[in-house]
Amino acid sequence: MRNYLHIFIKSGLVLFLIAYLTVLYTSDSAKNIPMEQIAQAMEQDSDITSLNKENRSDLKHYYQTDDRNIDGYFFYKAASPMAVEEICIMKANDSTQANALLENASAHLAGQKQIFEGYGTDQMALLNNAVVGKKGNYVYYMCGADAQNWHTTFLSMI
């Protein structure tokens, strides 16, 4: 009887470990959605389209990446250098590249905070609520009054 109890406990722990590792492994996964489809959905928001659509040289300037090295991007930024509203979604080719892009996006946020610290109270409020993260091979940077809504919309697609 005691032997069966040990086997039952061990089996239960192994099943729990398998379930835990499965959840852990899939928590960062994302669907493989083309960037064109993401752009179409995100461009439905007039707050995004009121920003300037940025090109590959801007992507390289702000995020130190070349669009030829990634699987696509979506990048809009405020026209004024005194405004911090911005949305950038980049699709990496693999998780290693996604981690590097995430570091670049985090460095961009830190740089923005350093620039506006001390005199840009409205900008600092937006920067403190900015959303930077990674889901699967997608890396995102969202800063603006609607950053949380943009984040929710984007995550619902992937």
Side-chain angles (χ1 to χ4, degrees), residues 2-15:
R2 194 174 187 126
N3 220 6
Y4 291 121
L5 183 60
H6 287 296
I7 292 172
F8 180 72
I9 291 172
K10 288 178 184 179
S11 298
L13 288 173
V14 167
L15 288 174

Side-chain angles (χ1 to χ4, degrees), residues 90-150:
M90 299 172 278
K91 185 177 180 185
N93 292 315
D94 57 44
S95 62
T96 303
Q97 185 181 43
N99 289 332
L101 291 173
L102 179 59
E103 287 179 25
N104 293 347
S106 297
H108 176 60
L109 177 60
Q112 290 286 83
K113 285 182 177 181
Q114 187 176 11
I115 290 169
F116 290 101
E117 189 174 22
Y119 72 90
T121 55
D122 293 339
Q123 292 92 338
M124 282 304 293
L126 292 173
L127 289 168
N128 286 331
N129 291 319
V131 182
V132 178
K134 177 178 92 68
K135 181 83 172 163
N137 287 343
Y138 296 92
V139 174
Y140 50 88
Y141 175 101
M142 300 171 185
C143 182
D146 286 338
Q148 294 299 327
N149 291 334
W150 298 343

Side-chain angles (χ1 to χ4, degrees), residues 51-119:
L51 302 172
N52 286 346
K53 187 171 186 174
E54 301 297 324
N55 59 36
R56 64 192 305 176
S57 63
D58 297 311
L59 185 69
K60 189 167 186 142
H61 174 74
Y62 293 109
Y63 295 96
Q64 293 73 47
T65 191
D66 191 342
D67 70 323
R68 293 174 283 202
N69 296 333
I70 59 176
D71 198 17
Y73 71 96
F74 174 81
F75 187 19
Y76 280 78
K77 185 169 177 48
S80 169
M82 293 304 297
V84 295
E85 289 83 359
E86 178 177 348
I87 179 170
C88 184
I89 301 169
M90 299 172 278
K91 185 177 180 185
N93 292 315
D94 57 44
S95 62
T96 303
Q97 185 181 43
N99 289 332
L101 291 173
L102 179 59
E103 287 179 25
N104 293 347
S106 297
H108 176 60
L109 177 60
Q112 290 286 83
K113 285 182 177 181
Q114 187 176 11
I115 290 169
F116 290 101
E117 189 174 22
Y119 72 90

